């Protein structure tokens, strides 16, 4: 179910959302964290704050500082997830190469990296897949990044159902 670029193959443990697919309002059961919310359904909404907390916690456990949500990076991630979903293709360059997208966005990045994914139905699954993939893990544990944007887009016509984009970056404080 999970496919990725050959150079960025995602493998490893995938957490399941045990029974959440049947929830009609897409809300996790009481007491259940939102990172188990099934996003493979219409009107599903990713909890970006939960993603930021999860990634910052992972970074903290590895001796790194947190990342904060950035509106520009959120828009960039949303655009990438949307175009991958529209084309049904998991590819960093499906709309334009990543570095070109960053440059054209107006986000003056000193460093910027991107993780993409498809087929993960929950934030927990996407995070686990990225954590268990050396290139994706390296992006999440990049010591230079301080900001992030994340998006998940549902598309019923695709075998993957959900396309993901995570952009981690740091602004260039020396330009201006």
């Amino acid at each position: 179910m999970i496919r990725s670029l050959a150079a960025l193959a995602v493998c490893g443990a995938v957490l399941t959302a045990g029974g959440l697919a049947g929830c009609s309002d897409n809300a996790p059961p009481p007491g259940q964290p939102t990172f188990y919310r099934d996003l493979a359904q219409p009107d599903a909404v990713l909890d970006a704050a939960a993603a930021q907390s999860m990634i910052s916690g992972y970074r903290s456990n590895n001796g790194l500082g947190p990342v904060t949500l950035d509106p520009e990076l959120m828009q960039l991630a949303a655009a990438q997830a949307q175009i991958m979903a529209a084309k049904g293709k998991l590819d960093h360059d499906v709309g334009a190469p990543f570095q070109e997208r960053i440059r054209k966005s107006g986000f003056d990045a000193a460093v910027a990296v991107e993780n993409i994914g498809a087929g993960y139905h929950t934030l927990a699954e996407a995070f686990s897949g990225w954590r268990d993939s050396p290139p994706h893990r390296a992006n999440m544990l990049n010591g230079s990044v301080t900001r992030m944007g994340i998006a998940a887009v549902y598309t019923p016509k695709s075998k993957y159902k959900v396309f993901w984009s995570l952009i981690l970056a740091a602004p260039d404080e020396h330009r201006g």
Side-chain angles (χ1 to χ4, degrees):
M1 173 168 88
I2 301 168
R3 300 213 181 234
S4 185
L5 299 172
L8 299 175
V10 176
C11 60
V14 175
L15 300 175
T16 62
L20 291 181
C23 295
S24 61
D25 65 358
N26 190 36
Q32 185 81 326
T34 60
F35 51 79
Y36 291 123
R37 180 177 292 151
D38 182 6
L39 301 178
Q41 53 190 312
D43 302 321
V45 178
L46 171 66
D47 184 344
Q52 179 272 331
S53 178
M54 182 181 284
I55 291 168
S56 289
Y58 181 59
R59 289 172 57 81
S60 177
N61 290 342
N62 286 276
L64 299 169
V67 290
T68 59
L69 292 173
D70 182 275
E72 288 178 87
L73 297 179
M74 291 293 292
Q75 289 178 353
L76 276 171
Q80 178 63 13
Q82 187 63 49
I83 196 163
M84 289 189 304
K87 302 227 182 220
K89 186 175 183 183
L90 179 66
D91 187 345
H92 289 278
D93 298 336
V94 71
F98 176 61
Q99 292 304 325
E100 180 181 323
R101 288 185 278 124
I102 286 287
R103 189 174 58 255
K104 287 182 175 180
S105 75
F107 186 92
D108 192 11
V111 62
V113 295
E114 178 180 56
N115 287 356
I116 58 173
Y120 302 119
H121 290 200
T122 69
L123 173 59
E125 290 174 356
F127 174 81
S128 293
W130 290 331
R131 182 198 61 214
D132 294 341
S133 162
H136 292 99
R137 180 176 52 248
N139 285 344
M140 291 194 301
L141 296 178
N142 182 314
S144 298
V145 302
T146 58
R147 300 189 188 171
M148 68 170 273
I150 189 167
V153 173
Y154 169 67
T155 179
K157 66 184 180 201
S158 168
K159 66 181 177 182
Y160 299 118
K161 302 298 182 210
V162 183
F163 286 82
W164 293 82
S165 175
L166 168 66
I167 299 174
L168 299 149
D172 190 341
E173 306 292 343
H174 302 292
R175 286 189 224 165

